[in-house]
Amino acid sequence: KNEVEQSPQNLTAQEGEFITINCSYSVGISALHWLQQHPGGGIVSLFMLSSGKKKHGRLIATINIQEKHSSLHITASHPRDSAVYICAVRLGGGSNYKLTFGKGTLLTVNP
Amino acid sequence: DVKVTQSSRYLVKRTGEKVFLECVQDMDHENMFWYRQDPGLGLRLIYFSYDVKMKEKGDIPEGYSVSREKKERFSLILESASTNQTSMYLCASIPPAGFSEQYFGPGTRLTVT
């Protein structure tokens, strides 16, 4: 059974700081997702990765397949980035779309 | 834009009641999922469906059933609600082919008293 571990569980930062959230998993995967959930809100997909690095605005996601590790970085953090960030992995390919989720990282960015 | 909607944002039911949670997506997605989300446990898969009338159990199907009579609609049924089913329930769908993100509904916060 694949385990998905995120660290840290909670993170508090000052506005403008560089943020890193980590995700490790235990077996081979076909894709990794980073998701964002604001308090009381639904979940939004930020990135889907199978290799390398992706960037969208101030957000950067990287994955190292050999080390079974991914990081989500936020540059120049802002209070509106405060949310729960969730890592999820897809184990199989083809028509297997099931995801296994980490428990999430609660990020609070103070002004 | 893909839209996934859920029938209620908040729901309060009594123990023993039959509860229906409905999810509708408007982009002809074949794969649909029901999750529950609890503090400290994260998202857990209850059931998923990869086509009309097709369903598969997820990791925690006990106490739940599902119905997929039409492609756009996936219903979660609590046959006899219990207090340990108090949770946030999230529906998601995914396009039919290739690697793609999952699209989530806004969630239904269910309280069983």
Side-chain angles (χ1 to χ4, degrees):
Chain A
K1 185 180 159 102
N2 188 45
E3 298 290 335
V4 180
E5 298 289 336
Q6 286 185 236
S7 63
Q9 280 188 302
N10 294 280
L11 182 55
T12 301
Q14 288 299 123
E15 184 172 356
E17 284 185 5
F18 181 82
I19 304 288
T20 296
I21 300 170
N22 297 298
C23 176
S24 297
Y25 50 92
S26 56
V27 300
I29 64 170
S30 57
L32 182 142
H33 297 248
W34 281 104
L35 310 168
Q36 181 192 55
Q37 185 176 31
H38 280 104
I43 295 174
V44 174
S45 180
L46 297 175
F47 295 104
M48 188 184 66
L49 296 162
S50 54
S51 64
K53 175 178 172 179
K54 285 191 176 179
K55 184 176 191 290
H56 185 255
R58 295 180 295 106
L59 273 59
I60 303 165
T62 64
I63 187 167
N64 184 319
I65 297 294
Q66 287 73 29
E67 294 187 3
K68 297 185 174 60
H69 180 268
S70 175
S71 294
L72 176 69
H73 305 286
I74 305 174
T75 61
S77 59
H78 190 276
R80 65 175 175 265
D81 296 325
S82 298
V84 175
Y85 292 84
I86 302 168
C87 170
V89 299
R90 178 183 171 190
L91 297 183
S95 60
N96 179 3
Y97 296 104
K98 288 171 63 176
L99 297 179
T100 301
F101 296 83
K103 292 185 171 63
T105 295
L106 174 61
L107 171 65
T108 304
V109 182
N110 295 316
Chain B
D1 270 357
V2 175
K3 198 170 251 187
V4 181
T5 58
Q6 294 183 228
S7 48
S8 307
R9 289 301 304 272
Y10 300 94
L11 208 52
V12 180
K13 294 291 182 181
R14 292 185 183 272
T15 300
E17 279 193 79
K18 191 168 186 174
V19 182
F20 294 87
L21 302 181
E22 295 209 315
C23 174
V24 178
Q25 49 90 5
D26 65 358
M27 284 300 289
D28 204 36
H29 290 175
E30 291 170 349
N31 297 278
M32 297 185 74
F33 305 80
W34 274 108
Y35 300 98
R36 64 178 282 177
Q37 185 180 32
D38 301 287
L41 296 177
L43 280 146
R44 293 179 291 167
L45 180 64
I46 304 171
Y47 267 97
F48 67 102
S49 168
Y50 49 89
D51 205 347
V52 175
K53 296 193 188 294
M54 306 301 285
K55 60 187 180 187
E56 281 200 28
K57 293 179 180 179
D59 300 318
I60 50 164
E62 297 78 19
Y64 303 94
S65 62
V66 290
S67 171
R68 184 118 182 251
E69 296 296 320
K70 293 185 177 181
K71 195 173 188 179
E72 67 270 19
R73 189 181 297 269
F74 190 34
S75 300
L76 180 70
I77 303 154
L78 286 66
E79 297 289 343
S80 177
S82 64
T83 54
N84 63 13
Q85 292 178 309
T86 292
S87 186
M88 169 69 89
Y89 289 88
L90 288 144
C91 174
S93 72
I94 191 167
F99 288 90
S100 184
E101 60 191 82
Q102 285 203 354
Y103 294 88
F104 286 84
T108 296
R109 185 164 293 284
L110 172 68
T111 302
V112 182
T113 61

